[in-house]
Amino acid sequence: MRARLSTALLAALAFLPALPAQAAPAETPELPDRIAATWRTDHLSVDERLRATIPKAETDRIRAAIRTAGLPVYVALVPQSPYLKEHGYDLPTLLHARIGQPGVYIVAVVSGSYWSDRAELFRPAGLRGRDLYSVRSDDPQDRDIVSERPAPSIVRTIQQASTAYDGRALPPIPKSDLDPPREERGMSVTDKSDRAVFIGMGVGGVFGFVLVLLIGLRRRRPAKRTRKQSGDEPPIEAWDVQLKADAKIEQAERALARLDKRRKKSTEQLDQRDDAYRRLDAARTLRADQPDDVLASAGALVLARQAERVASGAALQPPCFFDPTHNPGTAEVDWSDDVEVPACQQCAGVVRRKGTPRGLRVWSKSGLIGRKQVPYWTLDPEENPMVASGFGALSDDLPERIAARKEDAR
């Protein structure tokens, strides 16, 4: 009897250490994985934290717009979070990489009572049409849509995507989806009195400034002229670009570390890892060899951003040709000599209005000894691989150009 009791006790003690391992909770999937898992069975994903707060009439209206869109539509409703603040712009692309189907991908985010959405339109291979951003820019009522409810802006985005997809006309927006027009109210007696006081103070201030300026000019004595050595100062953007590049390099390293930890990698994932390391190595080279050069820092930022996306399984995006420190170039615009270049939405809007974006500014020689800031694309492309390739916007061979230049330097 004692022998049986001892045997049972030893078996129980041997079993106990295994219990914590079996009871350990599974790791929570990342936001893109959670949304993609829902989209495989339902094209409307509502975060569980929002289900009790969104009226059924709102979700019913969104589902009706999804059914009548004429193209596949995927919609996610999520609350604002630190992840979205860092990756919100790329989330539609990350989701498309997981679903792999053409259509419009919409992520609607709520912060407090304010709703905003990020959307991308992905067409089948070879099918061309209008850019979603250009349709939004041409929609005069887009900015007047109410933001306290998710359905109005989502429904309008679906309509805009349908217009971009097949050219159908945009329907009018119901009045209930628009902010009420602001009424101009007359000024009260107190407001008029305050305005008179401020006008008097402003006139007196201008008069005093002119008087002081005239007295100062009269008392000024001739002095030896000194030439301002503006060419010795770094461009204004340099420090900011350097910090962004270093931060993005760290993010790319973490993304590659996560990919390396996967035990069973597919052939596609192995290719993604190699491509990501190729871009990351080029980014490190630029930061190490030319730490104070704004062009090198911007190139490092672009390459590190691409390395992170590739390592995460997202589609590769070209940089904005005009300013690679902007968001990626998701729009194609006509530039000089009928050349199309990728541009961010901000710069694309400027070009469509027949303007020239300010672009990334760098120092260039002006005259014999002077220097001035000019758009980077005005420099000699033979002297810098970033200029020659538009930071990879004109040709996706920037890592090879950097590696070749390093070999030539040796």
Side-chain angles (χ1 to χ4, degrees):
M1 184 67 179
R2 291 181 178 178
R4 291 180 181 178
L5 182 60
S6 299
T7 303
L9 181 60
L10 290 173
L13 292 174
F15 178 73
L16 285 175
L19 290 178
Q22 295 176 356
E27 184 179 355
T28 303
E30 290 187 354
L31 179 61
D33 296 324
R34 297 200 302 269
I35 296 175
T38 302
W39 278 354
R40 291 187 177 95
T41 57
D42 187 351
H43 283 206
L44 175 60
S45 171
V46 182
D47 192 283
E48 59 183 7
R49 292 165 290 182
L50 301 178
R51 289 173 185 170
T53 63
I54 300 178
K56 186 175 182 296
E58 290 288 295
T59 55
D60 287 347
R61 188 179 173 198
I62 295 172
R63 291 185 186 279
I66 291 174
R67 290 193 299 268
T68 59
L71 74 161
V73 178
Y74 300 87
V75 179
L77 308 180
V78 294
Q80 183 62 273
S81 65
Y83 177 90
L84 286 171
K85 289 181 179 179
E86 183 176 358
H87 303 285
Y89 180 83
D90 295 330
L91 189 53
T93 303
L94 295 173
L95 290 167
H96 175 252
R98 285 161 170 77
I99 299 299
Q101 298 296 325
V104 58
Y105 290 69
I106 305 173
V107 179
V109 183
V110 62
S111 179
S113 60
Y114 175 78
W115 284 89
S116 62
D117 65 73
R118 292 128 172 151
E120 289 286 348
L121 175 61
F122 300 92
R123 294 181 175 84
L127 182 62
R128 300 194 64 179
R130 290 190 64 185
D131 182 77
L132 175 59
Y133 175 74
S134 70
V135 176
R136 280 185 159 180
S137 300
D138 294 341
D139 187 355
Q141 294 182 301
D142 184 71
R143 295 183 180 180
D144 298 328
I145 299 176
V146 298
S147 59
E148 291 78 13
R149 295 180 284 120
S153 63
I154 292 174
V155 170
R156 192 58 174 178
T157 299
I158 294 174
Q159 294 170 347
Q160 292 164 343
S162 299
T163 297
Y165 190 77
D166 57 20
R168 70 179 70 179
L170 274 174
I173 300 178
K175 290 184 178 180
S176 59
D177 286 353
L178 297 174
D179 285 322
R182 297 180 180 179
E183 297 181 0
E184 296 184 1
R185 299 178 180 179
M187 298 180 66
S188 64
V189 175
T190 304
D191 292 337
K192 292 179 180 179
S193 176
D194 291 341
R195 183 179 65 175
V197 172
F198 285 126
I199 291 175
M201 292 174 60
V203 172
V206 172
F207 179 77
F209 173 76
V210 173
L211 182 61
V212 172
L213 182 61
L214 291 175
I215 295 174
L217 290 174
R218 287 183 178 181
R219 293 182 178 179
R220 183 179 179 184
R221 295 181 179 178
K224 295 181 178 179
R225 295 183 179 179
T226 57
R227 182 180 297 109
K228 184 179 179 181
Q229 299 296 327
S230 59
D232 297 334
E233 300 174 3
I236 298 174
E237 304 90 345
W239 283 107
D240 185 48
V241 177
Q242 291 162 11
L243 292 174
K244 289 180 179 178
D246 292 338
K248 188 56 68 174
I249 287 175
E250 292 180 1
Q251 293 175 14
E253 291 172 344
R254 290 195 294 269
L256 273 164
R258 290 193 297 269
L259 179 59
D260 284 333
K261 287 181 180 178
R262 297 185 182 181
R263 294 183 178 179
K264 296 181 179 180
K265 301 181 185 68
S266 63
T267 302
E268 182 181 4
Q269 289 173 334
L270 291 173
D271 293 338
Q272 291 172 351
R273 184 188 63 178
D274 293 342
D275 187 20
Y277 270 118
R278 181 172 61 92
R279 298 177 190 274
L280 179 58
D281 289 342
R284 290 167 173 165
T285 297
L286 288 173
R287 290 295 292 126
D289 294 349
Q290 305 173 67
D292 299 324
D293 183 72
V294 67
L295 289 175
S297 299
L301 173 61
V302 169
L303 291 166
R305 180 193 293 159
Q306 292 177 337
E308 181 193 22
R309 290 185 60 83
V310 172
S312 301
L316 184 67
Q317 290 181 324
C320 172
F321 168 78
F322 300 100
D323 192 334
T325 66
H326 286 178
N327 288 327
T330 55
E332 292 287 335
V333 295
D334 291 329
W335 191 230
S336 60
D337 299 328
D338 297 328
V339 175
E340 284 192 344
V341 296
C344 69
Q345 295 180 353
Q346 175 185 345
C347 291
V350 175
V351 174
R352 293 190 183 103
R353 292 191 295 270
K354 308 301 181 183
T356 299
R358 172 178 171 79
L360 178 64
R361 298 273 166 163
V362 293
W363 290 116
S364 177
K365 292 182 179 179
S366 177
L368 295 177
I369 54 178
R371 302 185 77 183
K372 64 178 181 180
Q373 286 194 5
V374 299
Y376 83 88
W377 62 80
T378 61
L379 302 180
D380 186 357
E382 297 294 331
E383 297 181 359
N384 195 294
M386 269 68 71
V387 179
S389 65
F391 293 89
L394 302 178
S395 58
D396 187 29
D397 59 352
L398 186 55
E400 290 77 13
R401 290 174 182 264
I402 294 170
R405 187 170 185 177
K406 188 174 182 179
E407 290 295 327
D408 294 340
R410 291 176 181 177

